[in-house]
Each structure stands twice: as structure tokens, then as C-alpha cells.
Amino acid sequence: MKKKFIIIFMIIMFVLTACSAKDKEASNENPSNEQNEQVPENPIKGEDDETEELEDTEEIDPVAAIDLSLKPNELGEVMILMYHGIGPEELVWQRTPENFRKDLEYMYQNKYQMISLNDYAKGEIKTKAGYTPIILTFDDGRQNNFNYIEKDGELIIDPDCAVGILEEFKKKYDDFDVTTSFFLNANPFGQKEYTEQKIKWLVENGYDIGNHTYSHYEMELLSSDEIQAEIGSVNNIIKAIIPDYEVETLALPHGSNPKKENLEIMLSGEYEGNKYNTIATLDVGWRPAYSPFDTLIDFNSLYRVTASEINVDNCGIYDYFRSFENGTRERFISDGNPEVVTIPIRHREYLNMDMVGDRIVNIYE
């Protein structure tokens, strides 16, 4: 009898223990007291929370986000400005520091935003919505483009050379994207003892280096081997200083194009062990360039505008600024998204889909 009682007691204890454990588990899952009902300050998200968050966050339509009231037109024209020197006297191929400052101030106040020639040639337009990209180029690599002077025993950039003025505007307007392409010959920027220092500084500070041939000869008069040496020599000067830098642009001396049979060697070749490849070739000043997305674009012969007001035959920098202002020419107006190409429907037939590539096309009335 005693043995039977013990067995019954054990069964009862087992049931009670099991019920207690079950009640404790239920209490943990569904707390009933105030302390358990408090939500931690930083709860760990579960799958349900993540699902709810994904449902609340919808992907923004890049086309719907474009402000059409700005009248974006990414088949409008782009000015590639051709500068040479900065000096005390205003000449056809030289701008005074005061006039160069005037040019930059005009650009800033009239919604122009500098981009690199390299980006333009690749269709990588990162200009703000409602703004017009503009490209600055300096030929010949003159010392007054980038000049060092000594002040109080310290080597500084001459505030009245091109780089000094550009850096001045970079500080003056922190939303003014400042960049320029400098096209170099045999002796970049004079001051031979600082050649390496200058070229490294330019690349590190957002400027581009282009090729203007070693001797500045007219391409039309050169043989295939001579063209290769002229371009390859400058390329090798840059490679010796910055081995990983790719010189991808070329400004033709005197605007002289090579003979047709020598075009390929101008664009791609090898000299003394270093290869070169040109994605954009510049002519001398004449008129604004086409949009990189325009079927009329020819990257082997890009138009430039002479950055001068002397003997320009109505084709100078301010002639074209005015023509953009009065609407006699259409300027490129960015939609603000480099992954979308927005154009008015009237220009649809001129859209170069090969250049557009994987970008979204947005055509509006």
C-alpha cells in the first residue's frame, strides 16, 4: 500500500512540474505584468519587422523624381573652352587674371558647372539639375598656367596663375565644382625642377592632364612613326611621374588633323614600351560641342570655343554665352541624374542609343 502511495505521489509531482514549466514558458511568450510589457529602447528586429520596413520603403522612380519645370535638355550643346595663357596683357591667346576671374564668376552666376573632359567623353554627366556642364582646357602647359613663387620663404602657388585663380574660386564657392584639363608639351609648366611636383599636385586635386604632343608640330605634316613619337613621348613623361594615370585626351596642335591613313595611330599606339589610347581629340576654337548623347558627336574631332574677346569673329566665349541666354542656341541642361538621359521629344531622332548604353531614357513633351 505504501509503495502504491509513493508511485501516485511521484506521478502527481511530475504533472505539477510539467504544468509549472508550461505556465512559465507561456508567461515568457505573453507577459502579463507591467514590467514585461515595457518595450526595450533598442529592440532587436525580427523577420516581421524587416518585412514591414521593406513594405514601407518603396524604391523611388528616377524618372518621376526629375523636375521637368527646369526644362532639362541633355541633347543641348556644351562649351569646351580653349584657354592658353594667363598674363598681364589681354591677347588673342592670353587672358588677364582679371578677365579669367570674370569668366569664372559669370559661369558660377549663370548656372554653369565644370566637368572634366574625360567624363564628358564617357557620357558621365554629374551636373546638378538645371545646370549646364562646361569644360575648361588650357593648351601648351605654360608656366603661367601653374606657377610657383616664393613668399616669406615658402613656396606657394602664384595667386594670379590659372591654377591659383581656380583654387581661389574653389574656396570662394564651395559648391562650384572646379576642374580643368591641361594639355602638355615637352616642358610642362616651365620650372623644370617642379615638374613632378606640379603634375602630381594637379591629379591629386581633381585636375586632368591631356596630351598636346611633344613638339607642337602640325599633325597633317607628320608620318605615322612621327605621330606615334610625338604623342608617346608626352604620354611617357606623365607615366614616369604617375605610372597608373591614363592620358586619354589629345588637343591637336594648330587644330591640324593627321592624314586619314594616320588617324588610327593618333588614337591608339605604343611608344617605348608604353601604350596610349585617346578617347577625345580637340580641335581649335570655333563653336560649342554637341552633347555626348547626340548622333552628331565626333569624339575624334571635338569643337571648342575660344576663351577670348579679341578677333573672335563673333565666335568667342561671350558670344556663345549670349546665344545661350537669348535662346538662339540650345544649351545642355542637366536633369541631375547621371543614370538618366532626359530630352525634349523634338530631339528624339538625334539620340545616340549606343552612347546612352544602360542609362534610362526619359523623353517628355
Side-chain angles (χ1 to χ4, degrees), residues 280-332:
T281 304
L282 301 176
D283 287 332
V284 294
W286 177 35
R287 49 151 287 177
Y290 294 111
S291 160
F293 304 114
D294 198 312
T295 55
L296 298 175
I297 192 71
D298 181 0
F299 291 108
N300 297 334
S301 183
L302 291 171
Y303 301 128
R304 282 193 284 177
V305 171
T306 303
S308 177
E309 298 172 86
I310 299 176
N311 299 333
V312 291
D313 297 324
N314 299 316
C315 294
I317 177 174
Y318 285 93
D319 293 301
Y320 288 116
F321 278 148
R322 283 189 291 270
S323 67
F324 282 160
E325 286 175 13
N326 62 33
T328 54
R329 303 188 79 95
E330 292 188 44
R331 63 194 268 186
F332 186 115

Side-chain angles (χ1 to χ4, degrees), residues 17-34:
T17 302
C19 289
S20 176
K22 187 174 182 181
D23 289 341
K24 184 176 181 181
E25 183 179 346
S27 175
N28 287 337
E29 289 178 352
N30 298 295
S32 59
N33 59 55
E34 289 183 3

